[in-house]
Amino acid sequence: MAILNIVLVEPRIPQNVGNIARTCAATGARLHLVEPMAFTIDDTKLKRAGLDYWQYLDVTTYPSLENFMERHKDEQEKMYYFTTKAQHIYTEVPYPDGCWLLFGREDAGLPEELLVQHPAQCLRFPMRQGLRSLNLSNSVAIGVYEALRQWDFPLLQNEGQLHRLKWE
């Protein structure tokens, strides 16, 4: 299966991370958490949002953004930085196998020092002017499903069944 990596840099809201963990579990994406976080992994709010999915996750934590970037310095050409400040739209790029989708803190986004180093890899979701941003867990879901759509949803169930009735 193709590898998709989701990176949350200094997340603040445990419920968002719980929802993102659930998205990662349902899609097979790997979750990477960059500290400092405003909560602990055993936070009840985090677990409540994604508790029954936690066992299906591949989670890695990093002590800092610098540590994360150093550990993955050979993969930076496959990194995409999601930000409201970007000049490119998330559907404009082909996502390669093994790509990394990076998302910043809910209250500040990714550091501009990082963004300015990778302008062609900074991506945004189109939205109305004057609004701050979409919710972090919604943003991650959009990014994940765009990459998976481009890959034709590998190893994911693409057909559902009714419980009480049958499709004609």
Side-chain angles (χ1 to χ4, degrees):
M1 176 169 169
I3 296 171
L4 180 58
N5 296 285
I6 305 307
V7 183
L8 304 180
V9 178
E10 299 181 13
R12 313 316 287 151
I13 302 173
Q15 295 93 327
N16 278 339
V17 177
N19 290 335
I20 292 164
R22 188 171 178 166
T23 297
C24 289
T27 61
R30 295 177 177 171
L31 181 59
H32 303 265
L33 301 173
V34 177
E35 297 176 335
M37 297 185 288
F39 53 88
T40 61
I41 293 295
D42 60 357
D43 189 295
T44 56
K45 294 174 186 165
L46 169 71
K47 294 291 189 174
R48 190 174 303 124
L51 179 62
D52 51 341
Y53 293 86
W54 206 257
Q55 67 201 30
Y56 302 107
L57 285 173
D58 179 351
V59 182
T60 305
T61 59
Y62 304 84
S64 67
L65 181 57
E66 293 76 20
N67 177 269
F68 168 80
M69 296 304 284
E70 178 61 28
R71 285 178 61 181
H72 300 288
K73 63 185 172 195
D74 295 335
E75 300 169 274
Q76 290 188 23
E77 73 281 350
K78 292 183 174 185
M79 291 186 184
Y80 298 91
Y81 308 89
F82 287 79
T83 173
T84 59
K85 303 163 187 85
Q87 299 176 328
H88 303 284
I89 297 174
Y90 76 106
T91 55
E92 293 178 5
V93 299
Y95 296 95
D97 181 15
C99 66
W100 301 80
L101 309 184
L102 283 79
F103 298 85
R105 306 169 39 146
E106 292 91 337
D107 61 344
L110 292 167
E112 288 190 5
E113 294 78 10
L114 177 65
L115 300 177
V116 76
Q117 294 172 18
H118 309 279
Q121 294 162 270
C122 291
L123 306 174
R124 67 174 287 120
F125 302 114
M127 53 185 275
R128 293 172 58 195
Q129 189 171 2
L131 299 175
R132 287 183 300 144
S133 65
L134 295 173
N135 173 274
L136 179 61
S137 62
N138 292 337
S139 296
V140 170
I142 292 168
V144 165
Y145 273 91
E146 173 58 19
L148 293 173
R149 181 195 66 78
Q150 290 183 13
W151 301 344
D152 199 29
F153 305 104
L155 300 178
L156 298 181
Q157 182 178 351
N158 293 326
E159 190 176 293
Q161 296 297 321
L162 298 171
H163 294 285
R164 294 180 300 103
L165 303 174
K166 295 194 182 289
W167 293 110
E168 294 291 328

